[in-house]
Amino acid sequence: MDIFEIGTEIRKQRQQQGMRQVDLAAKARISRSILVALETGKLPELGFGKICALLAALGHTLTIAPAKSRRPTLEDLRNDQNLE
């Protein structure tokens, strides 16, 4: 998941909870302009603490899980060719 996907998910969760940007920003103790930039994909990065604060304000937490998909390695591609 990249910063753009995180921003999209935060916006989705905020809207589902009927929360305004100004309210979420205040609850997470960040500026509204940072939240707007995050939600619109115009923020290149955001610190771990701020992401966690936003998630906590929405009643969520950050978890680590295996990636849903990954790019094949050169070895994967070679093995696929050997199977044909």
Side-chain angles (χ1 to χ4, degrees), residues 6-18 39 58:
I6 291 170
T8 299
E9 187 62 29
I10 286 174
R11 180 180 60 236
K12 178 181 154 190
Q13 294 299 321
R14 177 183 59 75
Q15 289 173 336
Q16 285 179 352
Q17 294 182 29
E39 288 188 355
L58 291 166

Side-chain angles (χ1 to χ4, degrees), residues 14-65:
R14 177 183 59 75
Q15 289 173 336
Q16 285 179 352
Q17 294 182 29
M19 192 180 293
R20 298 178 310 156
Q21 286 175 331
V22 67
D23 298 326
L24 177 56
K27 194 171 181 180
R29 296 183 180 190
I30 65 167
S31 72
R32 181 177 173 270
S33 62
I34 288 176
L35 179 58
V36 169
L38 176 65
E39 288 188 355
T40 59
K42 296 177 181 169
L43 191 67
E45 63 181 24
L46 187 62
F48 177 76
K50 289 180 182 179
I51 289 173
C52 287
L54 282 165
L55 292 172
L58 291 166
H60 292 274
T61 187
L62 184 65
T63 60
I64 296 174

